[in-house]
Amino acid sequence: MGLNAECWKGRTVLLTGHTGFKGGWLAIWLQMLGARVYGLALEPATAPSLWQVARLDAQVNGDYVDLRDQAALVDTVRRVDPDVVFHLAAQPLVRASYRDPVETYATNVMGTVHLLEALRSSQRLKAVVVVTTDKCYENREWLWPYREQDRLGGIDPYSNSKACVELVCNSYRQSFLAANGVQLATARAGNVIGGGDWAEERLLPDVLRAWDAGQELVLRYPQATRPWQHVLEPLCGYLLLAQRLLSKPDENIEAWNFGPDAAGVVSVGELVERLARLWRTGPVSWRVAEQTQPHEASLLALDSSRAGQLLGWRNRWDVEAALQRTLEWHWGWQEGADLVELCRQQIRSYERALP
């Protein structure tokens, strides 16, 4: 099973979180496939942002809407009347969730409730993909990758809120949407990297900010392992998953992992060392933070065999390739490149690696 432009040509897609890092890339890809994309999100959370520097406001129609505003969501869904929904909008940061857990739960949990409630009245809707996280599992700090049927949990408010979203989706699927002929699935992806991410307190943006400024990088958890992959990897998974929901409306597979194989699960420290070898301007340095840090998972990996067997999905770019393309995009931005075209070039390069 591969990407099918005919499946997307002319379809109306509602994309929440289109002003974010992953959402911006997905909006560009959907448009390349021929979909009519309508976005729903807050204004970009960072400056600069992919939305700003690539001038995506001239490319993607949409509204600035808060997920906590149910009336606005109902109005938007009624006007757009989508065939497919990708729900990416969220408060996506672990450390931010410690600072403001109430906003994290309000946005991630009740925001999803508000969206799904609004979608109940949609006339043409056929498929919904809700993006959660690999951190939604009850992390036992073991060496084995987590499977979709493993227990949900999460200690920090962000991870826990996404486990709650999984439960919300299961309830709405069984209570309302399935009876209306709407397929809903959740997607759990590993850590993503790529051009256009300027989030605070996220590893690759922190590295690029520090080294661009000639400063020493401070690492919080150098021994922590994560399933690293380029942003296009899970986005391809979301697209393939939506295609399956559209083509097999009677199938009932609810949750899907999208993470790299064992070669893509490396420590924070090793990832920084690999990035340093690719850095093109001057020596770089880093050190470990001395102060105590809030809890984050130390060991984390996903079993994505379901996606491999049923969707034909797997990572096409290894960690080295993902880092190289992230740097190519970053340097293109610094040199004044056409960033939408640069995104399209990387998407076309990725598509050539697909079956």
Side-chain angles (χ1 to χ4, degrees):
M1 183 176 183
L3 287 180
N4 180 6
E6 289 302 312
C7 175
W8 296 102
K9 187 176 181 179
R11 283 199 187 273
T12 300
V13 177
L14 178 62
L15 170 60
T16 77
H18 68 296
T19 61
F21 164 52
K22 290 173 72 174
W25 277 93
L26 183 54
I28 294 169
W29 204 344
L30 282 164
Q31 288 185 331
M32 291 173 66
L33 290 167
R36 296 193 298 264
V37 182
Y38 196 92
L40 182 157
L42 296 178
E43 294 188 44
T46 64
S49 66
L50 176 60
W51 179 257
Q52 171 204 358
V53 300
R55 299 177 181 173
L56 292 179
D57 58 335
Q59 305 281 332
V60 183
N61 292 323
D63 286 327
Y64 293 139
V65 175
D66 193 320
L67 290 174
R68 294 169 292 184
D69 186 343
Q70 185 172 359
L73 284 175
V74 169
D75 178 67
T76 301
V77 169
R78 184 180 295 116
R79 285 188 291 107
V80 177
D81 195 18
D83 300 298
V84 180
V85 174
F86 290 97
H87 178 37
L88 276 66
Q91 191 300 96
L93 300 172
V94 170
R95 291 168 69 86
S97 76
Y98 279 113
R99 292 191 294 270
D100 198 340
V102 173
E103 180 186 6
T104 299
Y105 282 103
T107 300
N108 294 355
V109 182
M110 289 309 300
T112 301
V113 171
H114 292 161
L115 176 65
L116 295 180
E117 185 66 18
L119 293 177
R120 289 177 60 191
S121 62
S122 184
Q123 298 301 307
R124 294 191 304 177
L125 184 65
K126 297 299 181 185
V128 182
V129 175
V130 175
V131 175
T132 62
T133 177
D134 58 349
K135 299 175 181 65
C136 69
Y137 294 104
E138 180 182 45
N139 195 316
R140 302 184 182 183
E141 302 289 350
W142 57 24
L143 297 175
W144 300 277
Y146 292 92
R147 301 168 298 172
E148 288 89 347
Q149 62 265 38
D150 285 334
R151 183 170 177 167
L152 300 173
I155 293 175
D156 63 88
Y158 165 72
S159 302
N160 187 266
S161 74
K162 288 296 194 174
C164 294
V165 168
E166 292 279 348
L167 296 175
V168 166
C169 288
N170 187 55
S171 176
Y172 265 79
R173 179 192 299 110
Q174 298 189 65
S175 299
F176 307 114
L177 297 179
N180 293 333
V182 178
Q183 284 278 70
L184 185 157
T186 58
R188 306 164 182 176
N191 288 41
V192 297
I193 59 178
D197 187 6
W198 279 278
E200 298 290 338
E201 301 176 323
R202 192 177 284 162
L203 180 61
L204 262 291
D206 285 350
V207 172
L208 297 177
R209 272 189 293 267
W211 291 355
D212 278 344
Q215 298 173 350
E216 185 178 46
L217 173 68
V218 178
L219 296 180
R220 297 185 296 270
Y221 306 97
Q223 302 305 318
T225 63
R226 295 289 186 270
W228 305 98
Q229 56 190 340
H230 192 273
V231 63
L232 295 181
E233 305 282 11
L235 295 186
C236 180
Y238 305 163
L239 291 167
L240 292 173
L241 174 55
Q243 287 181 187
R244 189 175 183 93
L245 297 179
L246 291 167
S247 65
K248 297 182 179 293
D250 298 324
E251 188 176 65
N252 187 29
I253 298 181
E254 302 164 355
W256 300 74
N257 286 339
F258 296 100
D261 59 21
V265 181
V266 302
S267 72
V268 168
E270 180 182 346
L271 194 78
V272 172
E273 289 177 358
R274 292 190 186 193
L275 192 63
R277 290 194 291 269
L278 296 172
W279 196 252
R280 67 180 184 180
T281 55
V284 293
S285 62
W286 60 92
R287 63 178 174 84
V288 178
E290 298 177 357
Q291 63 270 34
T292 302
Q293 302 293 318
H295 174 272
E296 292 189 35
S298 295
L299 298 172
L300 187 57
L302 295 178
D303 180 339
S304 302
S305 56
R306 172 181 290 173
Q309 293 169 7
L310 299 182
L311 302 180
W313 178 90
R314 64 176 175 83
N315 276 193
R316 305 293 166 171
W317 290 345
D318 60 18
V319 173
E320 201 79 7
L323 290 172
Q324 183 64 54
R325 284 168 173 82
T326 300
L327 288 175
E328 289 171 359
W329 197 101
H330 183 71
W331 292 328
W333 164 66
Q334 291 180 326
E335 294 163 1
D338 181 333
L339 296 175
V340 170
E341 182 55 32
L342 183 52
C343 288
R344 290 172 181 156
Q345 289 173 7
Q346 293 199 346
I347 290 170
R348 285 191 287 267
S349 174
Y350 182 85
E351 286 179 332
R352 287 193 290 271
L354 296 174

